[in-house]
């Protein structure tokens, strides 16, 4: 069992209260994975003060100097990939292959922003008059707060931290209590790579007190949050009071549309990955499959074949392709939604049962689950179920499919399976989502491309990931020089 301390001002320290909490392995709740400080407001305040004190020195470094530290941290993470992936699987539950991919992704993100450091800057703009120079300077904004969820416990902290640090800001991060280990491991790698004291501060503890302090403390100039709509909406209200910069990335109800002209084998393969990979615990997971009625029986049969081949179990075991739900609450939530759907008239087509054979009895294991006869207004078709539960909605045309796909109040990712180029283009124009895929899984993102949602999935002011991620973490100052006289 590991034991972590808060990182404040470059020191590893316990919560002022001395209280701790621990995480357990969702695949085997008999195992305690790690212990952490159960911090309160005072600890968060100390972290914010440390970040404030470190700001001037870090901001004064050049972007390439800061980038060099990110690149070196990337190498350190990559060299520890196997161990970190195992720890990630033990704390969050995803399969070792998924965890390994996520650690590699995090190393790649650090490498990307390390390289980007050579291009970070403003722009020269033609002036109306001769003998004049007009330009913008890109500057850091100050102390930034980051609040992250448990489902990508290393990738999400890193995709916020890397641009925040690159731009010259100092940071206080509060990882999700369910899986904080990876944030500390990233902090260790950054410190070993040469990050000065106080530039990055990590505080664990209850969301309401530690996260609440980040949301309300006037020294936090900007806050980037990823998590549920309920919490994100609340934090946004707190930030609005002092007009702090806000980036809220939240949940969704992502569709995959399967058209009659599409390759049904491909559709079944992609939906099986997008709906049940990562145990369905991805913000971009497919949870609604909208299928043209003429191919519904054939598609359903193919999808169920794929589902039968999914091997559920401890993510560390050989051959396992789907791990457990992350905790008792999410686990129970999946079954609650299945019950609600069946009561509303949906038909359970496959799965829906807890798995309790042998060691599985000690974890949050369930079958991947498919519901049919679902109509667009049922709760199961409208509300996020953060687990391996997917529904089929039959439609009679492409237009109806688009209408159903857009008929929710969220919009993060959407996929379409078709061979019809025109329909694919129309769909990419009309779908109300931040990420649009054709003949691809709704999950899976290119780290070099912008990412973010629409509607209630995002505040939609700034994108994450890609080179544009620096916009949230920097400001432009416009400079006029007159050398004509
Ligand atoms: P969550 O319950 O909203 O928690 C997210 C973070 O907020 C955690 O660190 C949590 O701390 C903290 N928090 C809780 N209450 C708070 C408060 N009152 N003030 C400030 N912070 C507070 O979300 P989750 O269960 O971790 O993550 C799942 C959700 O994230 C899903 O809805 C999923 O769709 C969404 N998500 C979205 C994206 C995206 O990019 N759009 C990506 C991944 C996940 P504690 O852990 O201590 O409670």
């Amino acid at each position: 069992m590991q034991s972590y301390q808060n990182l404040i001002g470059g020191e590893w320290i316990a919560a002022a209260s001395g209280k701790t909490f621990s995480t357990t392995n969702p695949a085997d709740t008999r195992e305690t994975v790690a212990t952490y400080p159960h911090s309160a407001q005072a600890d968060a305040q100390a972290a914010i003060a440390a970040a404030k004190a470190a700001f001037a020195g870090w901001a004064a470094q050049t972007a390439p100097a800061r980038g060099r530290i990110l690149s070196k941290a990337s190498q350190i993470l990559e060299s520890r990939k196997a161990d970190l992936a195992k720890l990630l699987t033990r704390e969050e539950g995803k399969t070792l292959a998924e965890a390994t991919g996520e650690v590699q992704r995090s190393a790649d993100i650090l490498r990307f922003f390390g390289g980007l450091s050579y291009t970070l800057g403003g722009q020269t703009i033609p002036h109306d008059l001769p003998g004049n120079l007009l330009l913008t300077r890109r500057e850091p904004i100050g102390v930034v707060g980051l609040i992250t969820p448990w489902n990508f416990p290393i990738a999400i902290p890193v995709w916020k931290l890397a641009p925040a640090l690159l731009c010259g800001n100092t940071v206080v991060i509060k990882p999700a209590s369910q899986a904080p280990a990876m944030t500390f491991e990233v902090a260790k790698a950054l410190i070993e790579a040469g990050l000065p004291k106080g530039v990055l501060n990590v505080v664990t503890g209850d969301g309401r007190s530690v996260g609440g302090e980040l949301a309300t403390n006037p020294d936090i100039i900007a806050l980037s949050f990823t998590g549920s709509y309920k919490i994100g909406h609340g934090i946004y209200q707190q930030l609005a009071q002092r007009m702090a910069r806000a980036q809220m990335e939240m949940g969704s109800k992502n569709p995959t549309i399967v058209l009659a002209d599409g390759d049904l084998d491909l559709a079944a393969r992609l939906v099986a990955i997008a709906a049940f990979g990562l145990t369905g615990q991805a913000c971009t997971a497919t949870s609604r499959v909208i299928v043209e009625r003429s191919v519904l029986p054939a598609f359903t049969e193919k999808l169920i074949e794929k589902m039968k081949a999914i091997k559920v179990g401890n993510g560390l075991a050989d051959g396992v392709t789907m791990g457990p739900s992350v905790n008792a609450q999410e686990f129970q939530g999946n079954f609650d939604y299945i019950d609600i759907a069946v009561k509303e008239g949906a038909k359970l087509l496959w799965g829906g049962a807890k798995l309790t054979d042998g060691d599985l009895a000690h974890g949050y294991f369930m079958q991947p689950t498919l519901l049919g006869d679902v109509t667009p207004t049922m709760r199961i078709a409208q509300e996020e179920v953060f687990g391996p539960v997917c529904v089929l909605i039959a439609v009679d045309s492409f237009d109806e499919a688009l209408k159903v796909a857009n008929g929710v109040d969220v919009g993060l990712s959407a996929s379409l399976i078709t061979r019809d180029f025109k329909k694919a283009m129309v769909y990419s124009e009309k779908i109300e989502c931040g990420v649009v895929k054709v003949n691809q899984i709704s999950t899976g993102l290119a780290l070099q491309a912008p990412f973010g949602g629409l509607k209630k999935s995002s505040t939609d002011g700034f994108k994450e990931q890609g080179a544009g991620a620096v916009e949230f973490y920097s400001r432009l100052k416009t400079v006029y020089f007159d050398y004509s006289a």
Side-chain angles (χ1 to χ4, degrees), residues 407-441:
V408 291
D409 60 5
V410 285
L412 185 54
S413 179
S415 179
L416 170 71
I417 313 298
T418 187
R419 292 187 176 99
D420 185 322
F421 184 67
K422 183 173 175 193
K423 283 179 179 158
M425 289 307 295
V426 170
Y427 152 83
S428 76
E429 279 170 31
K430 305 273 185 207
I431 192 79
E432 295 163 1
C433 276
V435 175
V436 180
K437 306 262 198 112
V438 177
N439 295 326
Q440 283 194 10
I441 48 175

Side-chain angles (χ1 to χ4, degrees), residues 41-365:
Q41 262 179 299
D43 304 291
Q45 284 163 357
I48 294 167
K52 196 174 173 187
F55 176 67
W58 183 239
Q61 293 206 19
T62 64
R66 295 191 293 255
R68 210 169 293 130
I69 293 173
L70 300 184
S71 299
K72 196 157 176 206
S74 163
Q75 289 166 355
I76 294 170
L77 275 192
E78 204 165 355
S79 72
R80 294 177 186 161
K81 185 165 63 173
D83 287 344
L84 294 183
K86 265 188 214 141
L87 179 55
L88 197 167
T89 293
R90 284 171 54 227
E91 193 163 66
E92 194 268 354
K94 64 183 59 170
T95 67
L96 190 59
E98 291 165 341
T100 305
E102 189 182 333
V103 176
Q104 181 62 54
R105 161 64 60 110
S106 306
D108 291 345
I109 292 169
L110 285 165
R111 189 160 54 94
F112 174 82
F113 284 102
L116 196 73
S117 66
Y118 289 97
T119 70
L120 191 74
Q123 197 190 357
T124 56
I125 303 162
H127 199 280
D128 309 78
L129 300 172
N132 275 266
L133 180 61
L134 181 55
L135 58 90
T136 57
R137 291 169 50 88
R138 187 175 291 282
E139 298 187 339
I141 52 179
V143 181
V144 171
L146 306 178
I147 300 179
T148 53
W150 50 264
N151 67 327
F152 288 104
I154 186 161
I156 294 180
V158 167
W159 83 47
K160 292 182 192 295
L161 273 174
L165 295 174
L166 171 64
C167 290
N169 306 291
T170 54
V171 174
V172 180
I173 182 167
K174 189 217 117 36
S177 299
Q178 185 71 48
M182 288 298 113
T183 300
F184 285 107
E185 294 297 333
V186 172
K188 281 189 204 166
L190 283 161
I191 289 169
E192 282 174 49
L195 197 74
K197 288 184 176 197
V199 171
L200 171 60
N201 303 273
V202 186
V203 184
T204 50
D206 173 60
R208 196 179 291 265
S209 49
V210 177
E213 183 61 29
L214 295 184
T216 51
N217 191 306
D219 285 330
I220 295 287
I221 192 89
L223 191 146
S224 179
F225 165 88
T226 298
S228 63
Y229 176 78
K230 183 170 165 261
I231 302 294
H233 185 261
I235 296 174
Y236 192 57
Q237 307 299 314
Q238 292 171 304
L239 296 171
Q241 300 236 343
R242 62 177 198 281
M243 296 200 280
R245 196 178 280 196
Q247 180 178 53
M248 310 280 125
E249 295 300 329
M250 298 162 286
S252 191
K253 193 73 198 170
N254 310 296
T256 290
I257 299 173
V258 180
L259 295 183
D261 73 80
D263 176 339
L264 296 188
D265 290 312
L266 176 74
R269 186 165 64 78
L270 298 184
V271 168
I273 298 168
F276 308 117
L278 300 155
T279 320
Q281 298 176 141
C283 51
T284 49
T286 290
S287 57
R288 299 180 293 152
V289 192
I290 302 165
V291 190
E292 278 200 291
R293 206 176 299 275
S294 61
V295 295
L296 182 63
F299 170 75
T300 306
E301 197 180 313
K302 287 175 191 293
L303 179 58
I304 290 174
E305 277 310 302
K306 294 283 177 206
M307 293 172 69
K308 286 179 183 169
I310 292 171
K311 188 170 172 209
V312 181
N314 186 322
L316 291 179
D318 277 349
V320 164
T321 52
M322 192 178 107
S325 293
V326 74
N327 59 29
Q329 194 189 333
E330 295 290 347
F331 191 48
Q332 188 51 47
N334 297 334
F335 294 105
D336 292 347
Y337 267 105
I338 294 168
D339 283 350
I340 292 167
V342 170
K343 282 193 186 114
E344 284 190 292
K347 188 171 163 200
L348 186 59
L349 298 176
W350 176 254
K354 288 183 185 173
L355 296 171
T356 54
D357 276 0
D359 278 347
L360 296 189
H362 299 290
Y364 305 116
F365 295 103

